[in-house]
Amino acid sequence: RWVPPRTSARSASRFLRVVNESPAPKATVEQADYLAIFVADNGQPDADDRVSALARAFIERYPSASKLDEVRLKLGQVYFRNGDFASAQTQLETLARETPASPLVETALFIAGQASMKRIDSGGIDRAIELFSQVASLNGPLKFHARLELALLQNRQDKEADAVKLYDDILRENPGPEVKAAALAGKGDNLFALGEKEKPQYAAALEVYQALAREPGLNATLQHRALYNKGRCLE
């Protein structure tokens, strides 16, 4: 979850109190309205309603604000965790479109892709593929995670062979341990699914699960899953 640059709640609250109690320049009022959004995000039961109301008001009041991207991202996150995926996607895609140079674009597009995956309309999956493809093309920290999501989407469309190709592309780039383990597990699962039509694919899946089980530092859950799936292949 993205958070803005660290500002203590106490100092932010003190700043807000001073601004509210005395006349202040427009820039100071804008800063106060910005801080109020993040101070309101305090984990209380009604926090999300308060945060979303403040964020919407900020966007309407300061359409050219330098921190508009941060506010849109926060609003998108609030919509997402409350299950309003269409609104989350709207805010996050607007961020990417209106502030393409923002360092938050990659994160916004990734969450927008996740929101699109959860939509129940027919176009959600296709749009999610477009969004994750954009994230992958940015070649940033979320590149591999976006490609893992693309492989999952291929699986959901019963395109297991295409998913395997995506996992192979990831593995060829020698990603970090977490991504490598996820790619091996996903590749094995898709090969196993292909085995229902082509029996030799079970042997290929077995090799992948064996490789996964041998990965150094693999957590117990994934190791047990790999061993269990080896048994399924042998069966």
Side-chain angles (χ1 to χ4, degrees), residues 55-136:
R56 289 194 302 271
F58 185 96
I59 291 169
E60 183 176 352
R61 192 173 301 144
Y62 309 108
S64 302
S66 61
K67 295 181 179 179
L68 193 64
D69 56 343
E70 297 181 19
V71 174
R72 282 202 187 278
L73 182 57
K74 172 58 70 176
L75 183 56
Q77 289 174 325
V78 170
Y79 281 139
F80 187 95
R81 67 179 176 237
N82 283 281
D84 188 350
F85 301 117
S87 294
Q89 190 176 343
T90 296
Q91 290 298 325
L92 297 164
E93 290 197 49
T94 299
L95 184 163
R97 183 176 63 256
E98 293 187 351
T99 54
S102 168
L104 303 180
V105 165
E106 183 185 30
T107 299
L109 289 174
F110 187 85
I111 302 174
Q114 291 181 316
S116 193
M117 284 176 67
K118 294 178 179 293
R119 282 168 40 197
I120 58 175
D121 57 277
S122 59
I125 296 300
D126 289 340
R127 184 56 182 158
I129 290 173
E130 293 174 3
L131 291 165
F132 287 129
S133 296
Q134 287 183 55
V135 176

Side-chain angles (χ1 to χ4, degrees), residues 4-84:
R6 185 178 299 275
T7 301
S8 74
R10 180 178 300 177
S11 62
S13 297
R14 187 183 304 117
F15 177 81
L16 293 173
R17 186 169 59 253
V18 171
V19 171
N20 289 329
E21 291 175 353
S22 60
K26 180 180 178 181
T28 304
V29 174
E30 179 183 319
Q31 176 70 3
D33 288 345
Y34 163 80
L35 287 174
I37 297 167
F38 297 95
V39 170
D41 192 14
N42 55 16
Q44 297 301 313
D46 62 343
D48 281 351
D49 290 341
R50 176 71 173 157
V51 171
S52 60
L54 289 169
R56 289 194 302 271
F58 185 96
I59 291 169
E60 183 176 352
R61 192 173 301 144
Y62 309 108
S64 302
S66 61
K67 295 181 179 179
L68 193 64
D69 56 343
E70 297 181 19
V71 174
R72 282 202 187 278
L73 182 57
K74 172 58 70 176
L75 183 56
Q77 289 174 325
V78 170
Y79 281 139
F80 187 95
R81 67 179 176 237
N82 283 281
D84 188 350

Side-chain angles (χ1 to χ4, degrees), residues 151 154-164 167 184-206 208-209 225 229 232-233:
Q154 294 295 339
N155 177 269
R156 284 175 59 172
Q157 293 181 313
D158 298 321
K159 298 178 180 178
E160 291 88 354
D162 291 335
V164 169
Y167 287 125
L184 285 170
K187 180 181 177 180
D189 292 346
N190 281 275
L191 287 170
F192 186 90
L194 289 170
E196 295 182 9
K197 300 175 183 176
E198 306 171 37
K199 295 271 188 187
Q201 298 291 3
Y202 286 128
L206 177 61
V208 174
Y209 289 132
R225 174 184 167 186
N229 284 324
R232 291 175 68 208
C233 291

